[in-house]
Amino acid sequence: MSDFTPQELNIARQYDLTSKTIPFLDRHLVYPIVESLRDIYDDKVIAQLSLDLFKDTYMTQFVKDQYKLVQGSVPAELAEKEAQIEKTFAQLNEETKEILSVLANQEVQDHLKQDKSLNKEFLETEHGITEAKINKLLEFGQFQYNRGDYTMASDLLSNFRILSTNQESVISATWGKLAADILRVDWEQALKELTKLREVVDSRSFSDPLTQLHNRTWVIHWSLFPFFNSENGLEQLLELFMSSSYLSTIQAASPWILRYLIAAVVSSENSTKNNLSNPVFQKRLKDLIRVVGQEQYQYRDPLTDFIKALYIDFDFNEANVKLQEASVILKTDFFLQNIAEVFLENSKHLITEVYCRVHQRIDIAEISKNLNLSKEEGEKWVAHLINETKMNAKINESEGTVILEHQASSVYQQVIEKTKALSFKANQIIASTLQKQE
Amino acid sequence: MSRFFQGGLSDSDYSSSEEELLSSSEEELLNSSDEDDLSEDSEFANDDDSDDSESDSDDDQKGPSYFLKKSFVKDESDDDSDDDKKVVKSAKDKLLDEIRGAITIIDSSKVINEWDSVLSEFDKLNRLLVRAGQQNVPIPNMFIKSLVALDETVTNFNSDPERKKLNASMSKAFNTVRQRVKKSVREQEKLVEAYAENPEAFEKDDASYSAQSSAAVLEQEETEAPIKPGKSAHTAGIFRVLRSVIESRGKKNVDTADQIKQLEEAVELASTPYEYISLYLRLIPLRFDAAANTGLSPEQFSATAKDINALFEVLEKNKATYAVLETAAASDDIEIEPTPNANGVCEILGSVVSFVERLDDEFTRSLQQIDPHTTEYLDRLRDEQLIYTTIVRAQLYSEAFIPQAEISKPSADQLSRIIVRRIEHIYFKPASLISLNERKTWESLAFVSQKSYIAEYSDAADYTDKLLDALSSVLYKQTTATYRKRAMLSHIYYYAFNNKYYKARDMFLMSHLQSTIHSSDAGLQILFNRALVQLGLCAFRNGLIQDAHQNLFEIATSQNLRELLGQTYQRFNNQQQQQQSASATDRQRQLPYHTHVNLDLLEAVYLTSALLIEIPQYAAGVLEESKQKQAKTFGKYLEGHEKHYFQGPPETTKDHIMHAAKALQKGNWKNAADLLTSVKVWKFFPEAETLRNQIREQVQVEGLRTYLFQFKTLYSKLSILKLSQLFELPESKVSAVISKMIFNEEIAAGLDQVSNTIIFTKGVKLTKLQELALSLADKSVQMSERNERLAQQSNNSYNGGSSSQRGSHQNQRQHQNKNNSNLKYAPVTGALSSAPGSISGALNGMDRRKRTTTARA
């Protein structure tokens, strides 16, 4: 529990997405999210949740601790299980030792080539490594992952992937490696894995479209981890989520992801830089508004409401209220904590922008109130804005207003704008066609 | 002798099992080929000519189950004399005689190279064989003999120099004969080989066969003669009655009424379940036969329903020992009970599901025939409860034999058929009515112990939803696409009708039916249109004007709206080939009146949504290219309305809406709202009052927009306060609407926060020339874009797009995105732009086919 007011807690709990995202995440991946819920729930609840989460895994030490927290005692069968796990571990360790030592051999490494079937032949004849032994690697990798030794799991799985020729197992190893990398907080590696998975999911022809849909929802959910934590992740997230197939996946199967999409669009770097003239951002915003409007009936939270209030209903007061609520969510949501500040800053920017587009004369007092700033701060804010975006606006200090000059572009200007690029384009087409003929 | 009985038996079952095999498109083909058969038959069944032509013309009006009777018609024409017993003999012998005669002609004609007569006789021979097959007469050996001989002659003659001397028509006939003979030889391969090995055996068999058959006939005559049906109470008597009935089934001049009476009496005498079951299994089809041409009268109908239910009762009581299955083996002798299978259940061949289906067909047919505005129709409609209960009962019975795990296997087909029927009875009803129906049904079925694993009845409020979900999900698991589509569309219709717009819409979009519906049969296409219309009405009820307009646009403006919705069988056709009332299939396609969509309502909804969307656009003056296309229809109506010299007070729905449109254009939103809400058909919507309020609100907003567009040039400033008073809207709402217009650059203006006014930018009124210049510029941009795309496409196809510049790459991506941005709606518009049109296209296609068949006939 931390420093939130009861109302804020209420909002945070009401819009907590954990229960919705859990089905799409791996057990281990849920843990950090559950951990982050400490802000809004009791420690006791969290302990219970973590216990439920890990009861079936091999992380006995951790489970013991949680039992102590929740019940005060550790059930007897746990010790038994622990022994069992130790035994399996020793066995698997023994079984994979051989192959690992072979792989560690410099000579062998030099021999390995691009072609997997060749490699397999080579290993089998020279070192007696059969398919079954290779598969042990996968098993051990899964075991290690389940034990919570993610680094080891990641290594094992990547070794397995190099050797195995079984397409299915390679894919599941890739999923496993992605999870392990996420949990090791190795974002760079995780992103690489993610790209591989995306290729698989998008390119493979699934017999059942539903399977592909499921795979996509997993990609979407898992990718939230690296995207929100790595540099330039937001850009990549937008590229992925805004692509048509993923956008419709979000709409069809997991509308709550809209929250992250909104957060990413608003907080992406583009929005701070002169966004009126940035076509990429405008396009994304337009798509976002459309999707939010369409999904109103399925999913609502303060973030979607904010977008709706600002861009669909043009209700600035409402937008402001929703922004306040959204700020709580941003601070409590596991993924959004990093970008909370940027988001709030940028959304103020957006409000002002729309405000200026519609108005000709603005009362500074009014807009300051809308932005939750004091009057002086508001004036500064506006001055800063004018400076930054080179808007055609002046502050009338004595009246306390801002006057904005909307210039209707003249007809001539419009026609020139539209037709300006035409001849260039035509030339381009001709050039490329000629090139092709050559 | 048993062979005859077997023939009779399998024939009667054939008719019922045939029903489900036929999709409606096949029906027509079969029908036409059937007619060919008939005309051919009359050649030798000469004393029956008049009868034949009668049944021929009857065929056109027999309604939904006309194809059921096809097999009966066949039988009728087969047997032509009055006396049953003689018939058996003469039909068979006559057949053999015919075959013999044809063979003789062939033999003589082929010698003198009269190939055209060989051809016609050979065709006739093949037809006779088909009939022989129907009567369970094996292929006569003399046919094989002659076939082999003919084959030889043909092969020899083909290389003969004389062949070249034939004139054109003979040569053509010869070629045809050659092909047909080859085909026949292939079909009868085994027999032909057997003949080649041992021709003598064939000669002998032939003789013995005819002897045997005549002996059988004689024997039969003896046994049949002393029967006095229904007089004695013994089992033997019951089966004697049964046998006589089976025998005469489908024959001419049999007094079915009398037979029914006999059977009814026999039922009273019956004592064992097996007797009951056997009797009912004959009695019920007989009842259907009795009214084959006229349709069941209400009395007959209830009698039949009673019998079916009685049959169920017997079956339910003796579930452990007897079962009527479609998959059971046919028994040779009806007197002997079939031996129980491993579980101790005697399986009897028959299909209770087809009885219920037939009953349902009869019901629909009578509803189609009765004038829907009479009390008779209402009286008839009361029977629906009875039918529905029976259907549910049949479903329960089928469930008893089909375990849940096997539900998607082909063997579970009868269950799917009955579920389709059940859905058909409920999908178009409001939830409250369905639950009422269900309650009554389950009350009357309380004594049935079988529990449904598909959908158990409950009192819960969402029972109907669950029921539909459960029933449809059974059908979704079927392998037959028609069941799946039908279930999907009914499901969508149900949700749309019961005001669950988003659910219905999502199902509609995800079903991807739009892409395949064109190739479905007309019944499904009609259902598709109905679902689409219902979706539109639902959108309107939920205040989603844009969606409603989009859904209804194409279908509401269509010329043959009624036809597309299956609400009439009259067709708009300029060519008057089939002016003579519609054909049987068309009639069959027509839906009973109580399931119809209210067309007035459809029109009102469409016009109102069009008004709300288009009037502000008109006022705005510059219509965008894409919108203009849609706007046309309403504009046309409006223009037509303005042309009238005298405009009286509004009377029809359309008048009201046109007057409202004019009022709105003048800025008089109150008047417009009054006119719109006074339209009478709204009362057909469940929550009329909220709907009226909703329309009023919409008119307020659109009125404000129209006002601003219309008069923006006359003002330099407008007070928001005044606008809010004028349109009775809260100030915040007014400023929201205006903000939106400014943001979307619909009007050139800005708000003044201090004085709370809207300030219009001056000097933006365009001259005509300037407007044209702008649109010219737009168009050239479009053209250039199109050009670019074209160039890129060819580029990509040649070199994989590797050489295209970076800039164009980006453009391309934007293009893709633009297309994809519509992804969610794309299927709907796709459907709208093509579905109704192509459906009428499909109907026309059918016309053409029919024309050719009539020409052939």
Side-chain angles (χ1 to χ4, degrees):
Chain A
M1 298 293 255
S2 56
D3 38 325
F4 287 111
T5 63
Q7 288 99 324
E8 283 179 330
L9 267 184
N10 230 351
I11 293 172
R13 284 184 190 165
Q14 187 188 344
Y15 294 109
D16 180 21
L17 286 181
T18 314
S19 60
K20 283 189 172 134
T21 47
I22 281 179
F24 297 95
L25 292 172
D26 188 84
R27 212 176 266 283
H28 296 255
L29 292 178
V30 179
Y31 179 67
I33 299 181
V34 169
E35 239 350 80
S36 80
L37 292 180
R38 256 178 226 287
D39 285 344
I40 47 175
Y41 292 105
D42 280 332
D43 281 350
K44 183 106 187 177
V45 179
I46 301 293
Q48 179 68 48
L49 279 174
S50 332
L51 177 59
D52 290 344
L53 202 60
F54 284 120
K55 228 181 338 193
D56 296 333
T57 66
Y58 301 149
M59 297 161 74
T60 39
Q61 195 51 45
F62 181 82
V63 175
K64 266 190 212 162
D65 291 349
Q66 299 298 330
Y67 266 121
K68 276 178 200 150
L69 272 178
V70 177
Q71 298 171 342
S73 64
V74 181
E77 66 261 24
L78 205 63
E80 205 179 298
K81 195 177 168 193
E82 200 172 0
Q84 181 70 32
I85 290 166
E86 285 299 324
K87 223 176 92 192
T88 328
F89 176 70
Q91 190 195 339
L92 279 171
N93 204 3
E94 198 55 43
E95 282 172 344
T96 46
K97 213 176 238 169
E98 184 198 344
I99 185 166
L100 286 178
S101 66
V102 169
L103 281 180
N105 192 338
Q106 187 58 43
E107 195 188 331
V108 176
Q109 278 180 3
D110 292 342
H111 260 92
L112 292 181
K113 306 208 173 61
Q114 213 47 33
D115 190 347
K116 275 189 180 175
S117 53
L118 273 182
N119 282 345
K120 201 173 137 194
E121 219 168 276
F122 164 73
L123 284 174
E124 201 166 338
T125 49
E126 299 285 308
H127 301 277
I129 292 171
T130 55
E131 175 118 37
K133 282 182 184 163
I134 295 175
N135 285 341
K136 274 281 177 264
L137 277 179
L138 177 66
E139 205 178 307
F140 195 42
Q142 270 171 342
F143 181 81
Q144 285 287 28
Y145 176 75
N146 234 344
R147 252 181 92 243
D149 191 343
Y150 304 122
T151 319
M152 190 64 194
S154 172
D155 287 348
L156 282 168
L157 290 174
S158 70
N159 276 334
F160 169 76
R161 240 180 8 187
I162 294 169
L163 297 179
S164 174
T165 45
N166 183 341
Q167 206 59 29
E168 287 297 316
S169 319
V170 167
I171 291 170
S172 80
T174 313
W175 280 106
K177 188 159 185 316
L178 172 60
D181 286 338
I182 289 173
L183 288 161
R184 300 196 290 151
V185 205
D186 184 349
W187 303 126
E188 209 173 306
Q189 197 58 36
L191 280 177
K192 273 185 203 155
E193 297 303 320
L194 193 70
T195 326
K196 278 184 199 154
L197 273 177
R198 260 194 71 188
E199 266 167 33
V200 172
V201 170
D202 290 340
S203 63
R204 214 159 114 222
S205 54
F206 288 87
S207 56
D208 185 3
L210 207 60
T211 328
Q212 190 168 32
L213 186 80
H214 283 319
N215 274 309
R216 284 207 171 125
T217 47
W218 290 335
V219 169
I220 288 171
H221 281 86
W222 291 34
S223 68
L224 291 175
F225 287 94
F227 281 155
F228 274 106
N229 285 299
S230 60
E231 217 169 295
N232 205 21
L234 289 185
E235 239 352 89
Q236 294 180 41
L237 177 139
L238 285 176
E239 217 158 277
L240 175 66
F241 287 9
M242 280 294 187
S243 66
S244 66
S245 49
Y246 283 85
L247 197 58
S248 46
T249 307
I250 292 174
Q251 286 189 291
S254 49
W256 50 89
I257 294 295
L258 277 182
R259 172 190 292 181
Y260 303 113
L261 190 56
I262 292 172
V265 170
V266 174
S267 325
S268 65
E269 269 180 286
N270 280 324
S271 57
T272 49
K273 287 184 204 148
N274 205 0
N275 41 29
L276 275 172
S277 52
N278 185 335
V280 179
F281 176 75
Q282 287 301 328
K283 161 119 205 345
R284 281 180 183 160
L285 194 62
K286 233 169 87 189
D287 281 351
L288 185 69
I289 295 164
R290 179 179 55 80
V291 175
V292 168
Q294 274 175 14
E295 296 304 315
Q296 274 296 304
Y297 70 99
Q298 272 193 18
Y299 178 74
R300 292 181 64 174
D301 72 9
L303 275 89
T304 65
D305 283 349
F306 166 69
I307 295 291
K308 179 170 180 278
L310 186 57
Y311 286 105
I312 298 177
D313 297 340
F314 292 90
D315 186 336
F316 300 105
N317 288 332
E318 180 72 12
N320 201 32
V321 172
K322 290 297 171 191
L323 192 58
Q324 291 305 313
E325 288 181 17
S327 73
V328 180
I329 290 182
L330 285 159
K331 280 174 198 149
T332 53
D333 191 287
F334 172 74
F335 297 108
L336 299 181
Q337 277 158 352
N338 283 347
I339 57 164
E341 288 303 312
V342 190
F343 181 87
L344 291 180
E345 193 69 12
N346 283 352
S347 35
K348 272 183 199 161
H349 206 103
L350 289 178
I351 295 181
T352 327
E353 183 199 315
V354 177
Y355 214 76
C356 294
R357 275 279 288 282
V358 208
H359 286 78
Q360 197 156 37
R361 195 160 60 148
I362 301 169
D363 191 345
I364 290 186
E366 193 73 18
I367 192 169
S368 310
K369 206 180 85 200
N370 263 336
L371 294 169
N372 273 334
L373 301 168
S374 72
K375 198 179 161 195
E376 263 177 41
E377 274 177 329
E379 201 175 313
K380 264 191 213 159
W381 167 266
V382 172
H384 187 66
L385 191 77
I386 293 172
N387 201 16
E388 202 175 69
T389 58
K390 301 187 179 74
M391 257 191 289
N392 198 350
K394 292 277 176 298
I395 300 175
N396 185 337
E397 215 274 317
S398 60
E399 284 176 27
T401 55
V402 188
I403 314 234
L404 298 138
E405 295 291 331
H406 291 281
Q407 250 181 359
S409 53
S410 84
V411 185
Y412 307 106
Q413 198 61 43
Q414 283 179 39
V415 174
I416 291 169
E417 282 290 326
K418 275 177 185 159
T419 48
K420 182 160 72 175
L422 285 183
S423 68
F424 174 68
K425 274 188 195 167
N427 279 331
Q428 225 177 14
I429 295 170
I430 293 171
S432 68
T433 319
L434 286 177
Q435 200 179 10
K436 188 186 73 198
Q437 277 173 348
E438 283 159 16
Chain B
M1 181 172 105
S2 58
R3 190 177 280 137
F4 296 107
F5 288 121
Q6 199 178 3
L9 253 178
S10 60
D11 223 356
S12 68
D13 288 316
Y14 184 64
S15 64
S16 54
S17 60
E18 195 177 44
E19 179 185 13
E20 76 250 14
L21 294 174
L22 297 175
S23 79
S24 64
S25 59
E26 280 169 327
E27 280 157 31
E28 264 178 302
L29 287 173
L30 268 167
N31 194 16
S32 62
S33 66
D34 224 338
E35 279 169 347
D36 283 355
D37 254 4
L38 282 176
S39 54
E40 199 58 45
D41 287 341
S42 60
E43 272 177 31
F44 51 92
N46 25 23
D47 49 347
D48 231 23
D49 258 348
S50 56
D51 250 331
D52 255 343
S53 56
E54 186 187 293
S55 58
D56 231 345
S57 56
D58 272 353
D59 234 26
D60 286 340
Q61 296 153 6
K62 273 173 196 162
S65 55
Y66 76 101
F67 50 83
L68 256 184
K69 292 192 316 289
K70 209 156 42 213
S71 49
F72 313 152
V73 174
K74 251 180 239 159
D75 286 357
E76 276 171 39
S77 47
D78 291 347
D79 315 313
D80 44 336
S81 93
D82 297 353
D83 189 334
D84 290 355
K85 291 145 215 161
K86 269 193 197 160
V87 164
V88 177
K89 186 178 172 183
S90 66
K92 169 163 277 180
D93 283 352
K94 205 165 181 174
L95 199 65
L96 289 174
D97 284 345
E98 289 273 344
I99 292 177
R100 203 167 290 134
I103 289 176
T104 325
I105 299 178
I106 291 179
D107 283 342
S108 55
S109 304
K110 74 181 176 197
V111 179
I112 52 169
N113 287 346
E114 290 275 357
W115 290 106
D116 52 349
S117 70
V118 173
L119 178 62
S120 71
E121 287 304 315
F122 191 73
D123 281 350
K124 189 173 153 197
L125 202 54
N126 275 329
R127 269 198 304 275
L128 289 169
L129 276 185
V130 170
R131 282 209 294 130
Q134 280 164 2
Q135 294 186 359
N136 270 16
V137 176
I139 292 164
N141 292 327
M142 54 189 170
F143 171 71
I144 301 295
K145 211 171 95 192
S146 122
L147 183 63
V148 172
L150 190 61
D151 187 31
E152 229 165 76
T153 323
V154 165
T155 329
N156 292 339
F157 184 71
N158 197 26
S159 45
D160 199 313
E162 292 230 2
R163 156 113 172 70
K164 303 226 163 58
K165 289 178 197 156
L166 294 182
N167 64 29
S169 67
M170 278 299 171
S171 159
K172 205 170 145 204
F174 170 73
N175 280 331
T176 326
V177 169
R178 198 158 60 101
Q179 281 157 12
R180 299 234 168 118
V181 168
K182 287 258 142 54
K183 192 165 151 258
S184 294
V185 170
R186 236 176 294 128
E187 279 166 2
Q188 314 288 358
E189 214 172 338
K190 272 197 191 137
L191 286 172
V192 171
E193 274 168 25
Y195 175 78
E197 277 170 24
N198 192 1
E200 290 79 23
F202 267 68
E203 301 281 352
K204 206 166 64 208
D205 273 5
D206 214 15
S208 71
Y209 170 74
S210 50
Q212 184 197 348
S213 73
S214 54
V217 170
L218 278 176
E219 192 188 338
Q220 187 193 357
E221 266 182 276
E222 276 163 29
T223 47
E224 294 295 321
I227 293 177
K228 296 270 189 314
K231 290 275 153 73
S232 72
H234 305 300
T235 313
I238 290 174
F239 282 108
R240 226 172 282 151
V241 174
L242 256 184
R243 199 175 298 155
S244 80
V245 168
I246 291 170
E247 221 128 274
S248 56
R249 171 146 202 236
K251 286 172 186 156
K252 281 270 138 60
N253 299 326
V254 177
D255 186 358
T256 37
D258 183 48
Q259 285 190 334
I260 289 174
K261 235 168 91 192
Q262 286 174 14
L263 280 178
E264 277 171 352
E265 281 165 10
V267 166
E268 278 167 29
L269 299 171
S271 51
T272 69
Y274 180 68
E275 284 167 23
Y276 274 119
I277 294 169
S278 313
L279 282 172
Y280 279 128
L281 283 182
R282 305 291 157 250
L283 178 56
I284 295 165
L286 202 59
R287 284 195 193 275
F288 285 126
D289 287 356
N293 292 333
T294 52
L296 293 174
S297 69
E299 297 77 33
Q300 286 171 319
F301 180 81
S302 54
T304 317
K306 217 182 93 208
D307 283 343
I308 291 179
N309 276 306
L311 175 63
F312 274 124
E313 211 159 292
V314 177
L315 287 174
E316 279 156 9
K317 262 191 216 148
N318 302 289
K319 210 158 52 183
T321 42
Y322 292 98
V324 173
L325 294 177
E326 287 178 7
T327 48
S331 74
D332 288 344
D333 192 337
I334 50 166
E335 268 181 73
I336 305 162
E337 290 190 20
T339 42
N341 64 7
N343 300 327
V345 181
C346 301
E347 293 185 351
I348 302 166
L349 180 68
S351 171
V352 283
V353 168
S354 353
F355 289 154
V356 178
E357 281 182 307
R358 184 81 196 271
L359 191 69
D360 189 36
D361 282 338
E362 291 292 339
F363 179 67
T364 318
R365 178 150 76 135
S366 66
L367 284 180
Q368 282 168 348
Q369 282 165 356
I370 299 170
D371 179 1
H373 303 290
T374 55
T375 48
E376 194 192 350
Y377 190 85
L378 287 178
D379 288 341
R380 203 82 188 86
L381 211 51
R382 290 211 180 93
D383 283 336
E384 198 186 10
Q385 183 64 48
L386 180 69
I387 295 253
Y388 187 67
T389 311
T390 317
I391 288 176
V392 174
R393 207 166 173 183
Q395 187 200 327
L396 288 178
Y397 186 71
S398 310
E399 277 182 49
F401 295 103
I402 296 164
Q404 194 159 12
E406 284 178 18
I407 221 161
S408 56
K409 293 198 178 143
S411 58
D413 187 55
Q414 61 164 334
L415 185 60
S416 335
R417 266 155 49 210
I418 203 73
I419 288 177
V420 168
R421 296 287 169 161
R422 186 162 174 196
I423 290 180
E424 267 170 24
H425 274 278
I426 52 177
Y427 79 92
F428 59 90
K429 289 177 183 164
S432 56
L433 197 59
I434 299 178
S435 49
L436 194 74
N437 250 350
E438 285 284 315
R439 208 181 65 230
K440 280 192 176 164
T441 304
W442 290 98
E443 268 168 20
S444 55
L445 285 180
F447 54 87
V448 180
S449 57
Q450 172 74 29
K451 290 277 173 273
S452 172
Y453 56 77
I454 292 174
E456 191 63 47
Y457 178 68
S458 73
D459 278 335
D462 61 347
Y463 169 67
T464 49
D465 290 3
K466 280 200 186 127
L467 176 69
L468 255 288
D469 291 348
L471 293 177
S472 312
S473 64
V474 172
L475 294 183
Y476 293 154
K477 286 181 208 140
Q478 301 303 320
T479 42
T480 321
T482 322
Y483 289 147
R484 287 203 307 269
K485 285 181 187 168
R486 195 156 263 283
M488 185 47 114
L489 290 169
S490 309
H491 210 166
I492 292 166
Y493 188 101
Y494 168 80
Y495 275 123
F497 191 65
N498 287 296
N499 233 1
K500 299 206 171 75
Y501 177 70
Y502 290 109
K503 189 156 190 180
R505 185 197 65 182
D506 288 354
M507 282 171 69
F508 193 83
L509 292 177
M510 282 178 203
S511 67
H512 291 292
L513 277 170
Q514 304 87 341
S515 49
T516 55
I517 195 72
H518 317 304
S519 51
S520 306
D521 65 86
L524 264 186
Q525 296 191 350
I526 285 171
L527 191 59
F528 178 86
N529 287 345
R530 278 163 62 81
L532 191 66
V533 165
Q534 212 51 256
L535 208 56
L537 296 183
C538 183
F540 187 77
R541 284 199 295 267
N542 284 300
L544 301 162
I545 303 299
Q546 195 76 43
D547 291 1
H549 185 263
Q550 207 181 5
N551 283 344
L552 296 177
F553 166 63
E554 190 137 347
I555 204 153
T557 51
S558 157
Q559 285 293 305
N560 15 6
L561 172 61
R562 280 167 190 282
E563 188 191 330
L564 289 180
L565 291 175
Q567 305 194 170
T568 182
Y569 52 82
Q570 244 112 43
R571 161 166 329 141
F572 291 82
N573 46 0
N574 304 330
Q575 322 99 326
Q576 61 270 38
Q577 276 100 327
Q578 317 93 3
Q579 68 295 66
Q580 260 201 352
S581 81
S583 73
T585 20
D586 285 337
R587 265 169 194 276
Q588 206 183 319
R589 213 174 285 133
Q590 189 205 353
L591 298 161
Y593 185 74
H594 65 283
T595 66
H596 284 191
V597 177
N598 187 332
L599 293 181
D600 251 0
L601 200 57
L602 175 59
E603 189 186 29
V605 166
Y606 168 68
L607 286 177
T608 310
S609 44
L611 176 146
L612 290 173
I613 291 171
E614 287 167 22
I615 292 297
Q617 284 176 5
Y618 280 119
V622 192
L623 280 170
E624 282 172 44
E625 216 37 38
S626 58
K627 281 177 190 159
Q628 210 162 21
K629 267 183 223 149
Q630 291 193 353
K632 255 181 203 157
T633 45
F634 193 77
K636 250 185 224 159
Y637 285 138
L638 205 58
E639 265 172 36
H641 182 72
E642 274 164 2
K643 268 184 201 149
H644 291 299
Y645 292 109
F646 173 72
Q647 286 172 358
E651 281 170 11
T652 62
T653 307
K654 207 173 180 179
D655 282 349
H656 275 94
I657 294 171
M658 290 306 146
H659 275 88
K662 303 216 71 173
L664 199 60
Q665 278 184 325
K666 283 180 197 136
N668 192 348
W669 73 270
K670 264 189 197 167
N671 202 345
D674 287 344
L675 280 163
L676 278 181
T677 48
S678 66
V679 170
K680 285 198 187 73
V681 287
W682 298 136
K683 69 169 185 278
F684 291 111
F685 275 137
E687 284 165 3
E689 208 38 55
T690 45
L691 186 79
R692 288 203 182 97
N693 289 336
Q694 201 183 304
I695 293 176
R696 206 176 169 82
E697 276 165 32
Q698 298 271 10
V699 172
Q700 279 174 333
V701 173
E702 295 307 329
L704 170 61
R705 279 162 54 81
T706 317
Y707 185 87
L708 285 175
F709 281 133
Q710 201 89 325
F711 305 113
K712 64 182 173 194
T713 47
L714 307 180
Y715 292 98
S716 72
K717 278 188 185 184
L718 256 173
S719 152
I720 289 181
L721 190 67
K722 198 185 153 228
L723 283 174
S724 105
Q725 280 165 356
L726 196 61
F727 289 93
E728 294 177 14
L729 285 165
E731 274 183 57
S732 60
K733 179 82 189 165
V734 174
S735 62
V737 170
I738 296 173
S739 302
K740 195 167 189 174
M741 288 168 76
I742 297 173
F743 191 82
N744 294 336
E745 294 177 345
E746 289 175 316
I747 50 173
L751 290 173
D752 185 337
Q753 205 178 30
V754 182
S755 61
N756 209 4
T757 50
I758 159 173
I759 302 168
F760 292 97
T761 319
K762 289 183 194 84
V764 281
K765 174 113 177 96
L766 298 180
T767 63
K768 186 77 189 165
L769 179 66
Q770 285 167 335
E771 252 174 54
L772 286 175
L774 268 182
S775 75
L776 178 67
D778 276 337
K779 276 182 182 152
S780 37
V781 170
Q782 275 171 19
M783 199 176 84
S784 139
E785 271 174 11
R786 216 170 291 169
N787 232 343
E788 206 171 349
R789 229 174 304 161
L790 207 67
Q792 260 168 17
Q793 263 169 15
S794 51
N795 260 8
N796 286 346
S797 61
Y798 281 109
N799 49 19
S802 54
S803 74
S804 45
Q805 287 87 345
R806 210 161 163 259
S808 60
H809 242 315
Q810 199 159 358
N811 261 331
Q812 189 185 9
R813 210 176 58 212
Q814 274 176 358
H815 258 307
Q816 274 169 1
N817 286 343
K818 207 183 283 164
N819 294 342
N820 291 330
S821 67
N822 268 330
L823 194 78
K824 188 139 195 192
Y825 275 105
V828 173
T829 43
L832 291 171
S833 61
S834 53
S838 70
I839 286 175
S840 46
L843 292 172
N844 286 337
M846 239 164 270
D847 284 353
R848 233 171 290 131
R849 201 166 59 192
K850 194 162 301 140
R851 232 172 287 142
T852 50
T853 48
T854 41
R856 228 195 299 149

